[in-house]
């Protein structure tokens, strides 16, 4: 019996585990380590209309149970992604969620319009929450009206369902979620990184060349859980949860909070085999906890336990 | 192929001030082919430190299925690693990256190996390979002070060896370049690993006249080319979007290939 | 030579290390462990007009490099604090910073008016950022206008300088800081805890009876550093920094970010002797790093290094 | 007085399924006076776990300056603790709280000691003290199953001992109350430690007729009374603002003193 299959808008997942955007490139490198076919889906690196080099290095710094990154959305640009990366990924039976970014609404529209027509792209992830770029990025993710408008614009051109990636760096996450839901979002992905910083003991200066960076890893898990708990009760669209997932137990905690699938980011650096490990361990853990299917876990922190699989579609 | 293995500690000892030599055994060794490649090590057994630590392979012993690293215990991760004892297994990912190509040195000629501090270790396997190929090697190795010097005799056994220390407490006082400037320039090739200022100095002085290969360092996330943490600009497009990844395209580059 | 003395509005500190509010009660318990006279100052538990029991238990949960708490401002009430706690603390030569809280502006005004007249209370810390109470608390800390008004009201009645404690759960921390500065705040203390949550693997329910709680400890340090870095460049009043300080190195990092003094919270639970240890280690570390006085570290992450001791008064 | 000491491991062994007995030595032992007090232990050597773990003192040996704890390795902290070997030092804060008062039992009379699971350990030192005082002790100890039963003989050596297991794999099937209900009620005092439902059952059944002392558990921050993590309402003011702290007023309370 399959205990892990999940259906979400546009996505027919054999399991709800996928690498998070930016932590897995376009799959090639991890494809050398294991068979990517085992993944539920793949969230590929943010794509912008033109190629971007991103920020100067150092781009990463370590923190207690976490890390900061300021990659700055480095990517080879839309053309290259369409011509090279996506066709390469076509050999796998894995739905691709294309993460799209830009500095202005037109950028999102450009990328969404074209990339959503690639045959293996089954959904878009609208990155309105990158803390590491000067323009666009996070500003789209902190003002509900702006977030709603960019969602509407992308929905208007996209051939596939649109998931909006929320930033945790806001006073009111529910308001943001409801705004993008009103803008037509088919789902949410949350959370992106928290804005943070580390200073060098000797120089006193920031370790990251970009000064600030995005905090990810287990340190932020309690914030992610809290936000998903709040948002999942306030919207009707499904949530793909992320933020500090390292183990199968963490996955279950995200489902309990209200997620219907999860993404694994930073953990891929600590253990490049973390996704296959979690996928293997989940059914065992579910059985031990007394569940027949992972969807039974969704929203258990707040629901009355009658209604399971609320986003199983 | 890149593998992930819990490798056994064969030995670990402090060979100079805060400098540890760690020998591990396991089947991953059979994948190691090139000097200058590195491994990515998980230290501690929780989420702190969260990231792996990149450490160069300093010698490979295929017969015994072991390899050796030399590292400085400084921050959280390396300090934890230095406390591990013989019973423990170490989580190693590797071998990673593209290392030095001994074949680039003209057999029978002379090659200069330049190392600075913890940039010295990968030169040891390289030097062993070169001497085996019949290449004449000269080592110029720079350290902070006498207490941190390591592997002097090992390098001496392979070829002419000059030591420099910043404070003059051992060998020549000063930097590696102070020695190199005075060497007869009979060598055709330079292989170097060490701090970026050292690499820059070598590049600008010898890029035109010698074959120069430099091993770079950068803060890493994944270590395998997936996260874009460790990129550098290419020399041809120094402000554009073309790039190389230190972890997977490097860490060794030909001088002039990337912007240091 | 004293390398640690710092002067801040109302506070003549022998050293810039003080326990953070809520992590040290009113000092009695730690007074059994070491001589409290060594402390730079003491931020005592939040005081409200009436006694409060706070939230049901469990009130704490552990997270990766952090903890959640939902104490809910339990305290014996203003009268008891004036009659019992503060007089007891009078035996020590340590300035007291009284943390005051409430559900409405009048509560803050009541407590501020009376408590600021206690002889050893040298400053107030306005807690407009407690995430663990239903009314008041954090709502005051997320709306700049409300924050400014409560600051003004307290300033109008306080006999001593007023520091406002900022919540990190906001989109724009600089805006909050500037609002309370405009309201007359003499200083800032930051950060309070991040809102977070943990769920129980077996039941799926929140571990904390209050469901959500405040995340503190090393996990949040990068967020604190980032916020202090931003705010210290945008206001002219001094900052007492906190959030994850465990070591003397952490203290220096907070000074580099822009703090002029620091508070140690959660670390007191991990190591009850952490404050004396840090106070002992700081001069050694400063010397090693080449400083003559800790004030030279303030703002080093962004200043031009000419002007030291910018808040040394 | 409360002290903080890096104490030496004298011995550590698994005495039942996931149940470890750990004996530590150090000068802190000289501060230990009362059965039922606990220590607060820092496990691991980083920030994870961040909080200390409260563990009861299960026996005190003043002559040898050692004390013993018995704990279940379950979560992160206790699992790490169970892996510590003889060379290690353990960071202990204690003794904490107010324990059982053996004096409350009428000398020469009979006293009932009731323990559930990992609530059993503190009863061992208590029982030793009581028997030394000439008090006749009866032990009723409840466990999940046969694999997790520990200290049966040790308690038997001190007095009449009944074991219950939930699955009936050892002793009487059921809960401690199933045994107690059938005992002749010759005893005057009950000392109990275990899960809250067990304590509640004892309180409601025997509060009026016996002297009942209960040791409570609560999640803790500081362990010394400073953080208000572990409070409970007093019975006199069950919804008001009066409170007791489990860590410093307790963990042992007279039945009826606080709201369970
Ligand atoms: C390809 C490569 C090969 C290396 N080979 C060796 C070697 O053979 N021997 C040796 O002693 N050192 C080597 N280093 C440097 C070594 O990786 C760092 O000294 C080590 O990561 C520091 O970890 P820490 O726990 O001591 O410090 P921390 O301060 O705890 O490190 C914090 C973070 O910064 C990173 N970091 C800190 N310094 C460096 C650095 N110089 N380079 C890259 N990342 C850094 C760490 O990996 C970690 O993510 C190499 C680095 C690279 C990139
Ligand atoms: C006064 C007192 C005496 C105790 N004596 C013993 C004893 O002698 N033997 C024994 O095995 N256990 C005892 N316990 C319970 C013991 O403290 C917990 O089992 C332990 O803290 C769990 O830690 P962990 O690392 O296994 O679990 P984790 O799940 O990693 O713990 C996470 C957090 O929850 C806290 N926590 C989890 N369970 C409990 C609990 N039951 N009570 C209090 N805090 C908890 C932990 O302290 C930690 O802060 C006692 C508890 C108290 C309050
Ligand atoms: C190195 C790195 C690069 C990232 N790049 C992107 C990106 O391009 N687009 C995006 O939406 N999120 C990006 N993220 C955020 C992650 O997708 C994820 O939301 C976040 O890291 C939290 O999950 P984690 O704690 O599991 O890493 C990046 C994160 C890291 C660590
Ligand atoms: C158990 C606990 C209780 C707290 N109570 C208060 C409080 O009453 N008033 C307040 O302003 N902050 C309170 N705080 C927040 C701390 O003062 C501090 O701002 C925060 O914990 C971050 O610092 P830390 O990481 O060093 O703990 C409390 C924190 C903890 C952990
Ligand atoms: S470290 Fe991730 S790409 Fe090089
Ligand atoms: S645990 Fe802090 S008061 Fe009891």
């Amino acid at each position: 019996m399959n205990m892990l299959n999940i259906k979400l808008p546009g996505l027919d997942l054999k399991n709800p585990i996928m690498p998070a955007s930016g932590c897995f490139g376009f799959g090639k490198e991890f494809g050398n380590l294991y068979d990517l076919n085992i993944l539920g889906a793949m969230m590929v690196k943010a794509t912008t209309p033109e190629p971007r080099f991103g920020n100067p290095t150092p781009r990463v710094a370590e923190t207690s149970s976490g890390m900061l990154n300021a990659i700055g959305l480095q990517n080879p640009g839309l053309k290259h992604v369409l011509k090279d990366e996506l066709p390469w990924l076509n050999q796998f039976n894995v739905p691709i969620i294309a993460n799209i970014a830009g500095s202005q609404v037109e950028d999102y529209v450009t990328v969404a319009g074209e990339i959503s027509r690639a045959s293996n792209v089954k959904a878009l992830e609208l990155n309105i929450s990158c803390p590491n770029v000067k323009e666009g990025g996070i500003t789209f993710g902190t003002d509900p009206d702006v977030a709603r408008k960019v969602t509407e614009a992308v929905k208007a051109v996209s051939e596939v369902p649109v998931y909006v990636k929320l930033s945790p760096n806001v006073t009111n996450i529910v308001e943001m979620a409801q705004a993008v839901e009103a803008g037509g979002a088919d789902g949410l992905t949350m959370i992106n990184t928290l804005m943070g910083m580390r200073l060098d003991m000797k120089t006193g200066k920031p370790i990251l060349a970009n000064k600030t960076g995005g905090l990810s890893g287990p340190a932020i898990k309690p914030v992610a859980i809290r936000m998903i708990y709040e948002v999942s009760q306030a919207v009707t669209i499904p949530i793909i949860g992320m933020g500090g997932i390292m183990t199968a137990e963490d996955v279950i905690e995200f489902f309990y909070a209200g997620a219907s699938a999860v993404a694994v980011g930073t953990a891929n650096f600590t253990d490049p085999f973390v996704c296959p490990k979690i996928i293997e361990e989940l059914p065992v853990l579910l059985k031990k906890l007394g569940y027949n299917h992972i969807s039974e876990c969704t929203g258990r922190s707040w629901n009355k336990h009658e209604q399971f699989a609320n986003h199983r579609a | 192929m890149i593998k992930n293995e819990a490798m056994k500690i064969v030995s670990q000892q402090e060979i100079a001030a805060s400098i540890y030599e760690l020998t591990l055994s396991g089947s991953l060794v059979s994948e190691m082919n090139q000097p200058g490649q590195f491994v990515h090590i998980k230290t501690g057994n929780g989420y702190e430190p969260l990231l792996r630590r990149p450490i160069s392979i300093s010698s490979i012993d295929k017969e015994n299925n072991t390899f050796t690293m030399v590292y400085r215990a400084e921050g959280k991760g390396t300090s934890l690693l230095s406390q591990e004892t013989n019973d423990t297994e170490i989580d190693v990912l590797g071998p990673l990256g593209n290392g030095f190509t001994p074949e680039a040195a003209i057999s029978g000629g002379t090659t200069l190996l330049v190392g600075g501090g913890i940039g010295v270790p990968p030169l040891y396997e390289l030097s062993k390979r070169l001497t085996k190929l019949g290449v004449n090697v000269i080592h110029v190795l720079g350290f902070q002070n006498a207490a941190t010097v390591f592997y002097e005799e090992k390098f001496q056994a392979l070829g002419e060896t000059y030591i420099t220390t910043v404070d003059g407490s051992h060998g020549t006082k000063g930097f590696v370049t102070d020695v190199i400037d005075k060497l007869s320039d009979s060598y055709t090739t330079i292989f170097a690993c060490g701090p970026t200022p050292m690499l820059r100095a070598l590049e600008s002085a010898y890029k035109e006249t010698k074959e120069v290969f430099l091993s770079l360092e950068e803060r890493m996330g994944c270590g395998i080319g997936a996260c874009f943490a460790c990129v550098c600009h290419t020399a041809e497009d120094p402000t554009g979007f073309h790039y190389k990844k230190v972890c997977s395209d490097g860490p060794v580059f030909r001088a002039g290939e990337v912007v240091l």
Side-chain angles (χ1 to χ4, degrees), chain A residues 25 29 53 57 59 62 270, chain B residues 50-53 218 226 228:
Chain A
E29 296 77 15
F53 182 80
T57 56
R59 292 178 173 187
E62 202 179 41
T270 308
Chain B
L50 188 64
L51 297 175
R52 289 172 175 267
R53 299 296 191 260
E218 190 50 79
F228 294 92

Side-chain angles (χ1 to χ4, degrees), chain A residues 65 171 195 197 199 201 205 211 222 226 253 256 300:
Chain A
S65 297
T171 308
M195 270 221 331
M197 188 175 210
L199 304 174
M201 208 29 53
K205 300 296 175 197
K211 292 174 184 156
R226 187 264 294 179
E253 195 174 347
Y256 285 159
R300 222 177 156 82

Side-chain angles (χ1 to χ4, degrees), chain A residues 20-24 45-46 52-75 99 127 129-134 138 165 168-169 191-198 206-217 219-220 242-244 264-267 269, chain B residues 50-51 218-222 226-231:
Chain A
S21 178
C23 302
F24 211 76
K45 180 75 193 157
R52 283 177 62 105
F53 182 80
N55 293 318
T57 56
R59 292 178 173 187
V60 298
E62 202 179 41
T63 71
S64 290
S65 297
M67 68 175 280
L68 294 167
N69 89 78
I71 307 295
L73 296 181
Q74 175 157 23
N75 79 91
N99 185 280
N127 181 358
S129 49
C130 182
N132 299 323
V133 289
K134 293 269 137 18
I138 205 160
K165 184 156 185 178
N169 302 289
I191 58 175
N192 209 321
T193 53
L194 275 165
M195 270 221 331
M197 188 175 210
R198 272 210 61 185
I207 291 180
L208 297 177
N210 187 52
K211 292 174 184 156
T212 60
L215 182 64
S216 63
I220 69 168
M242 65 196 77
V264 179
T266 304
F269 307 158
Chain B
L50 188 64
L51 297 175
E218 190 50 79
R219 299 220 171 203
M220 294 185 176
C222 65
C227 77
F228 294 92
C230 66
V231 299

Side-chain angles (χ1 to χ4, degrees), chain B:
Chain B
M1 226 191 89
I2 300 171
K3 282 197 175 162
N4 188 201
E5 187 179 2
M7 298 184 78
K8 289 224 173 65
I9 296 188
V10 174
S11 69
Q12 157 134 273
Q13 58 183 128
E14 192 173 358
I15 56 170
S18 295
I19 305 288
Y20 289 78
E21 183 192 60
L22 172 61
T23 300
L24 300 176
S25 84
S27 67
L28 197 151
V29 174
S30 65
E31 307 293 331
M32 296 181 171
N33 289 308
Q34 223 186 5
Q37 285 186 299
F38 65 102
V39 293
H40 220 189
I41 298 208
K42 173 80 181 78
T43 63
N45 40 26
Y47 302 158
E48 225 216 329
L50 188 64
L51 297 175
R52 289 172 175 267
R53 299 296 191 260
I55 307 283
S56 300
I57 297 165
S58 99
S59 66
I60 307 169
D61 179 348
K62 293 245 180 181
E63 257 170 52
N64 294 305
N65 248 336
T66 65
F67 82 99
T68 300
M69 304 177 290
V70 176
Y71 66 93
R72 181 163 61 215
E74 200 173 18
K76 235 174 218 168
T78 52
S79 298
L80 273 172
L81 186 62
S82 70
Q83 287 155 27
E84 300 291 1
T85 50
N86 282 13
D87 341 326
T88 343
E89 290 184 325
I90 306 292
D91 178 343
V92 180
L93 181 74
L96 303 178
N98 292 300
F100 296 107
T101 45
E103 306 73 32
I106 295 159
S107 180
T110 297
T111 291
L112 186 65
L113 272 56
V114 186
I118 51 166
V120 169
L123 301 181
Y124 185 56
E125 178 66 27
L126 173 63
S127 184
K128 287 199 294 181
R129 303 260 174 142
L130 287 168
T131 46
K132 211 174 251 173
L133 287 172
V135 177
N136 182 37
V137 291
I138 303 173
H139 312 105
V140 183
L141 311 174
F143 298 91
Q144 279 300 312
N145 51 44
T148 55
V149 174
F150 60 90
Y151 272 25
E152 183 174 3
E153 294 89 43
K154 290 197 177 216
F155 279 101
Q156 254 158 1
L158 296 170
E160 216 172 301
T161 300
Y162 301 91
I163 304 288
T164 69
T165 54
V166 177
D167 67 357
S169 53
H170 190 71
T172 308
K173 183 182 162 95
F175 297 102
V176 287
T177 40
D178 297 325
V179 168
I180 299 171
D181 290 346
K182 290 179 195 137
L183 287 178
S184 102
D185 77 340
S186 58
Y187 51 88
T188 51
T189 314
I190 302 178
F191 293 106
C193 183
T196 307
M198 180 191 103
L199 301 182
R200 277 207 197 102
L202 292 172
E203 178 173 84
S204 68
Y206 303 103
K207 191 174 63 172
E208 309 297 339
T209 55
K210 313 279 174 190
E211 287 250 68
V212 183
F213 296 89
L214 308 172
S215 181
L216 272 56
E217 257 185 30
E218 190 50 79
R219 299 220 171 203
M220 294 185 176
C222 65
I224 61 170
C227 77
F228 294 92
C230 66
V231 299
C232 46
H233 285 283
T234 59
E236 282 170 7
D237 182 21
T239 57
F241 62 82
H242 290 99
Y243 63 90
K244 293 284 174 180
K245 296 172 190 159
V246 171
C247 70
S248 53
D249 297 318
V252 177
F253 294 97
R254 186 184 285 269
E257 193 177 352
V258 297
V259 180
L260 292 183

